[in-house]
Amino acid sequence: MTNEQRFFVECVKRGIKNQKVDFVPEGLDYKTLFNLCTAHSMSVVVLKAVENVKEKLFPPFLRVLEMAIQHEVRLDIQSEYDINTVLTAFEKNGIKHMPLKGYHLKKIYPSTDMRFATDCDVLIDVDQIKKVRKLVKELSLQTKRHDEHHDIVFYPTTRTFFELHKTIFVGPLEKYFGVQNKGFDRAELKEGYNYFYQMNKEVFYISILGHSAYHFAESAGVGIRHLTDIYLYRKTFELDEKYLNAELEKCGLLQFKNQFEKVANYLFDDAEADEFTKKLAEHILESDILSNEQKKSASDVASNAGDDGENAHKKTVWKKIFLPTEQMKFAFPVLKKAIWLLPFCHVYRWIKVIFTRPKSISKIKRMQEVSQSELDYMKEIRSGLGINHL
């Protein structure tokens, strides 16, 4: 790790434990340190950790960090109000809903502003989609996008976003939770509510592990906040380990869970670590919340590489152009009854991609340019996490 990375990790470690650092290393590159804070969404955590050594920090760095945090905190307060408004409206209007991820995870940090967010993920019942969209209009929310996985809507003035999921998860948890509505089968009504659902502790933990694994596989990495979520959740709740591991085995996420917990304990509890765990820690520190395009391309190619990596680039490009049949069925439900329409759906999909998502073309070009060293590196990372199947 670099000097800046070590100090950043120490600040995060102390901050999430509601402790303070008592030293500042010499020769810090404050621009790099600031970039780490913002890229990993840890500005509030770091600022709270350095409260006792502020006079030793570079004043311009401190001012810029405090200004960024003031803005984030204002947005966070507004988003909390907006989220409560929408969820209350769902309850009053008889709409089944289950808030996911950050809505609950904020509460396990020493203070909720440490997990700043201006969006809210909510599972909805697809059978109520027309009712949901009608309510969205009544609440003066605007629609950014409707797709096969979710409706993305937002308040135009406050920029609070809502991802209204039609499935609890894609990727590793798709079969576990079911494609549509089955997420409610693994949940129960919250006490005192008629339409607000929540998962038990073990299943919720599986959902956040699946979220991290999915983004790691898709984006070639995740930021340190995924680790702080996992670390604090394990410290907050006592889980049925036998049941948890059995369920994770079904999802193909047991190795991912064990390795992510190892790297979290290495960073935040100074636990002993093997070489792969140290390499993974550095990889995460070099990522941001959703990694970067260069690593994404290498990860995509690695996901299609056999032991020798032969034809991995061609396989990856082919799969991006022609999605697997099951994914196409999800994107185009008509295929479930008329599979003969598959070629026409592929053509329609690519016409839409060309005119609405031009960046997808650039991504395919980058996949063809992935070097052997980049491919080998990402194969090692993916194999070590047990996510080659994603």
Side-chain angles (χ1 to χ4, degrees):
M1 287 188 202
T2 65
N3 198 29
E4 291 74 28
Q5 287 174 336
R6 280 193 292 270
F7 184 62
F8 171 70
V9 170
E10 185 65 25
C11 289
V12 172
K13 178 174 72 175
R14 298 289 185 95
I16 62 174
K17 296 179 180 181
N18 207 21
Q19 300 172 355
K20 314 297 178 189
V21 296
D22 52 11
F23 72 97
V24 177
E26 294 291 332
L28 279 176
D29 182 331
Y30 282 95
K31 182 178 180 181
T32 299
L33 181 59
F34 178 76
N35 288 339
L36 282 167
C37 294
T38 55
H40 292 269
S41 291
M42 285 286 133
S43 299
V44 175
V45 175
V46 170
L47 187 62
K48 293 194 180 221
V50 300
E51 282 180 355
N52 294 344
V53 292
K54 282 185 176 180
E55 71 282 356
K56 298 180 181 179
L57 295 170
F58 186 48
F61 162 78
L62 199 58
R63 283 198 300 272
V64 173
L65 192 65
E66 287 175 337
M67 287 173 60
I69 288 167
Q70 288 170 7
H71 177 66
E72 288 181 0
V73 170
R74 282 197 300 271
L75 290 176
D76 192 51
I77 292 170
Q78 180 63 54
S79 71
E80 186 173 352
Y81 174 82
D82 291 341
I83 290 165
N84 287 334
T85 298
V86 171
L87 296 185
T88 299
F90 280 174
E91 180 70 19
K92 287 182 178 179
N93 286 272
I95 293 173
K96 287 172 66 176
H97 60 287
M98 179 161 60
L100 307 169
K101 299 181 303 192
Y103 176 84
H104 300 286
L105 291 170
K106 287 171 68 75
K107 299 167 187 176
I108 64 176
Y109 282 73
S111 60
T112 57
D113 58 350
M114 286 187 176
R115 201 184 187 283
F116 162 74
T118 57
D119 63 356
C120 182
D121 295 86
V122 186
L123 179 69
I124 57 170
D125 186 336
V126 292
D127 293 334
Q128 293 184 302
I129 190 67
K130 290 183 180 179
K131 190 174 182 180
V132 170
R133 289 175 179 172
K134 182 176 181 292
L135 181 59
V136 160
K137 289 182 180 179
E138 291 174 0
L139 292 170
S140 299
L141 288 157
Q142 290 188 9
T143 299
K144 178 182 179 181
R145 186 169 81 235
H146 291 163
D147 61 35
E148 61 269 26
H149 301 302
H150 46 36
D151 285 8
I152 301 179
V153 301
F154 65 98
Y155 278 112
T157 53
T158 62
R159 307 301 293 178
T160 301
F161 278 76
F162 296 84
E163 293 191 10
L164 306 178
H165 292 259
K166 302 166 189 175
T167 172
I168 198 167
F169 219 83
V170 292
L173 298 182
E174 188 174 275
K175 292 182 180 178
Y176 181 72
F177 283 107
V179 175
Q180 291 184 339
N181 288 349
K182 298 298 182 183
F184 289 105
D185 293 346
R186 291 186 176 273
E188 56 189 18
L189 280 170
K190 184 177 180 180
E191 186 176 352
Y193 291 81
N194 295 314
Y195 301 97
F196 187 126
Y197 284 76
Q198 59 186 11
M199 294 171 268
N200 68 33
K201 296 190 297 292
E202 288 79 15
V203 174
F204 183 79
Y205 189 50
I206 291 168
S207 77
I208 62 175
L209 286 168
H211 174 249
S212 294
Y214 172 74
H215 279 299
F216 204 109
E218 287 289 302
S219 306
V222 292
I224 201 170
R225 194 171 73 179
H226 287 253
L227 290 180
T228 59
D229 285 347
I230 286 167
Y231 176 81
L232 289 173
Y233 197 85
R234 289 312 311 253
K235 295 294 182 182
T236 303
F237 300 107
E238 184 176 341
L239 305 181
D240 183 335
E241 204 73 23
K242 185 177 179 181
Y243 169 78
L244 175 65
N245 289 344
E247 295 300 289
L248 285 166
E249 193 73 59
K250 296 176 187 177
C251 307
L253 290 175
L254 183 57
Q255 184 178 338
F256 180 86
K257 169 255 191 187
N258 290 337
Q259 187 58 59
F260 247 52
E261 287 183 356
K262 279 175 66 176
V263 75
N265 290 332
Y266 164 62
L267 290 176
F268 308 136
D269 279 342
D270 300 318
E272 290 294 321
D274 55 30
E275 287 306 309
F276 177 76
T277 300
K278 293 176 182 178
K279 178 179 283 192
L280 179 60
E282 292 198 21
H283 179 88
I284 290 171
L285 286 169
E286 290 167 2
S287 304
D288 58 19
I289 291 298
L290 291 176
S291 195
N292 62 56
E293 293 300 329
Q294 185 177 353
K295 289 179 180 177
K296 287 179 185 179
S297 298
S299 183
D300 282 337
V301 177
S303 70
N304 293 297
D307 293 336
D308 56 5
E310 187 177 355
N311 296 321
H313 296 75
K314 292 180 180 178
K315 290 177 185 176
T316 306
V317 171
W318 184 261
K319 283 187 177 181
K320 289 296 179 182
I321 295 175
F322 298 102
L323 291 180
T325 301
E326 286 305 309
Q327 289 187 38
M328 289 296 291
K329 285 181 180 178
F330 190 70
F332 301 94
V334 67
L335 294 176
K336 295 173 184 178
K337 294 182 178 179
I339 193 64
W340 60 271
L341 289 172
L342 182 61
F344 301 98
C345 291
H346 278 300
V347 172
Y348 172 79
R349 174 179 171 269
W350 266 100
I351 290 174
K352 187 176 179 181
V353 166
I354 289 169
F355 286 101
T356 63
R357 300 180 189 176
K359 290 183 179 179
S360 296
I361 309 298
S362 300
K363 290 178 182 178
I364 289 177
K365 291 180 180 178
R366 277 196 296 272
M367 291 170 191
Q368 296 173 312
E369 298 167 355
V370 171
S371 69
Q372 189 60 46
S373 61
E374 290 172 323
L375 176 57
D376 291 341
Y377 174 79
M378 284 311 306
K379 282 176 67 177
E380 180 186 0
I381 294 292
R382 291 175 66 97
S383 295
L385 285 170
I387 57 173
N388 279 333
H389 61 294
L390 304 184

